Amino acid sequence: QVQLVESGGGLVQAGGSLRLSCAASGGTFSLYVMGWFRQAPGKEREFVASISSSGGIISYATSVKGRFTISRDNAKNTVYLQMNGLKPEDTAAYYCARRGRAGSYEYWGQGTQVTVSS
């Protein structure tokens, strides 16, 4: 059974940094695209970033490009999201997810809260 566990969230001032981690278990981590999403109160969940199985193809939402960096360590079954230059509008619950072969994200973590104060 696939499990995804996020960590690293917290409270940070605007302009600060956080590094989120997502540890995966079950399945073969290195075969799958991994993604980060976020959901702010009262808003729809939105895509943040994704990384291909080998790490060679990376995508970012326009709102985070240049500030956030997604990476993965297949030896550790972990995907990361380095967030720099945080803004109050980045405040949300952040979720990692594993994309299935059909192209949809099938497995989700429980989320970790990021709060950016102004």
Side-chain angles (χ1 to χ4, degrees):
Q1 184 172 348
V2 175
Q3 274 196 311
L4 303 173
V5 180
E6 302 97 335
S7 61
L11 173 64
V12 63
Q13 289 189 331
S17 298
L18 283 173
R19 188 196 197 201
L20 306 184
S21 299
C22 172
S25 61
T28 305
F29 177 78
S30 62
L31 294 180
Y32 296 95
V33 172
M34 297 296 296
W36 284 97
F37 293 77
R38 67 186 182 185
Q39 187 168 21
K43 294 189 176 181
E44 297 286 320
R45 184 169 59 196
E46 64 175 359
F47 169 80
V48 174
S50 66
I51 186 167
S52 64
S53 56
S54 65
I57 300 173
I58 288 174
S59 297
Y60 294 103
T62 301
S63 59
V64 307
K65 198 173 294 185
R67 299 187 297 123
F68 291 10
T69 303
I70 189 171
S71 62
R72 66 190 295 161
D73 185 337
N74 285 343
K76 295 183 177 179
N77 290 354
T78 302
V79 61
Y80 305 97
L81 187 67
Q82 177 67 44
M83 305 186 295
N84 299 328
L86 283 161
K87 305 176 181 180
E89 52 263 44
D90 294 318
T91 295
Y94 283 72
Y95 301 87
C96 72
R98 193 186 89 172
R99 200 170 81 182
R101 300 193 181 280
S104 61
Y105 286 88
E106 299 177 323
Y107 295 98
W108 296 82
Q110 83 290 348
T112 185
Q113 179 67 36
V114 171
T115 303
V116 185
S117 63
S118 56

